Amino acid sequence: MQMTLNILFYFVSFLVLFGGYKFNFSFMKLDLGNVSAFAAVLLIGYLVATWKKVKTISFVDKLHYWFDKYGQGNSYLWILLYFGLSLFIAHCFKFLSFEVRAWDQGFVHQSLLQAFEDPILKCSMCRGGTYMGEHVSPTLMLVAPLFILTESHYLIYALEVALVIGAIYLLLTTVVKKRELYFALILIVLSHRALRDSLVWDFREDHLTFFFISCSLVALYQKKVWLSLIAFLLTVISKEHMPYYLPFLSVPLLFEKDFKLTNKQRIIGALVIVVTNIVWLMVINKYIFPYYHDGRPPSTHIVQRFPGFGTTNSEV
């Protein structure tokens, strides 16, 4: 039973880190992409083993072994390098295999190449003829000159990986104090399937958002308030969804002991976070969305994809 649980454990870990696979045969379909089902079987197996007092290595023991093994020295740098190169190569092969130049890639890459034309972030497939009609992401203009000068898809792929891996490196070396937790944090962040898969699919404003918010947190830990504020403001305007989420950062700002801030700085910072997001959300809903949507009422992708949160922006 121990061998079975070990095999299942490593299989689940593989699915979490690298995603699943789907095989289509003439007589059957095999889907190995659902982590939940295999993880549930694994947990049930551990429960049965515990109930029957079968000697086995626990899940926690395995994690401790991994953290001890990969948390020493600079091994975390090799892990980051491995993931970064793997995701970059996968993106390049995806592009070379399918020559994908439409939809998300067409939206963003054309907008980067024609960022400073009229309208800004020009996009022939987007609403209003601009990427701003799809997502309010003015920070894309910060990286647009790089694409305009080189017109290299591969440089953009390298940039997106550098933003995410660079952000993780900053968090590891600044925020996390114990090296034995480095590997754990890498696993947690890169196990986020949407973030990992996006690095293989296309450059998005989400990568900028993740980098900016990481920089903001790192600067807070280093008591660089103004740098943290600038990075925070860049995070806010990186995507129209951010004002819905970022106000909750005021909670750890008020109570996180590791932030070397005075009580006055904490209170002012929390107010700035909340007020800034509310003001930007009002600007988006009242001016930006209607301007690029031919005067139609504003509607974010949250409303369209998750109607349970609300049927209008106000309800959300």
Side-chain angles (χ1 to χ4, degrees), residues 273-309:
I273 288 176
V274 174
V275 172
T276 300
N277 281 283
I278 292 175
V279 170
W280 181 241
L281 187 60
M282 293 174 62
V283 170
I284 290 174
N285 288 337
K286 191 173 182 179
Y287 299 105
I288 298 179
F289 263 131
Y291 180 79
Y292 291 113
H293 285 231
D294 298 322
R296 288 177 293 175
S299 175
T300 69
H301 288 264
I302 297 177
V303 173
Q304 298 171 11
R305 297 177 181 176
F306 308 103
F309 285 110

Side-chain angles (χ1 to χ4, degrees), residues 106-143:
F107 285 6
V108 182
H109 286 218
Q110 181 192 357
S111 300
L112 290 174
L113 190 60
Q114 299 176 291
F116 303 103
E117 297 186 12
D118 186 23
I120 59 171
L121 295 173
K122 189 174 182 179
C123 171
S124 58
M125 296 187 293
C126 302
R127 286 174 289 187
T130 168
Y131 191 70
M132 296 285 282
E134 299 293 327
H135 292 292
V136 181
S137 308
T139 50
L140 284 175
M141 300 178 74
L142 295 175
V143 298

Side-chain angles (χ1 to χ4, degrees), residues 198-259:
S198 67
L199 292 173
V200 179
W201 179 249
D202 191 26
F203 176 77
R204 300 298 302 270
E205 63 280 349
D206 305 78
H207 303 123
L208 287 169
T209 304
F210 180 72
F211 179 76
F212 289 141
I213 191 134
S214 298
C215 290
S216 181
L217 292 174
V218 166
L220 264 183
Y221 273 95
Q222 295 181 332
K223 206 176 179 179
K224 298 177 180 178
V225 179
W226 284 106
L227 182 60
S228 176
L229 178 61
I230 293 172
F232 169 76
L233 292 176
L234 289 172
T235 306
V236 174
I237 64 174
S238 288
K239 198 161 190 174
E240 73 280 2
H241 298 167
M242 290 302 106
Y244 293 101
Y245 313 135
L246 291 178
F248 294 101
L249 279 179
S250 59
V251 177
L253 181 60
L254 289 172
F255 301 106
E256 173 59 60
K257 295 180 180 179
D258 287 336
F259 288 147

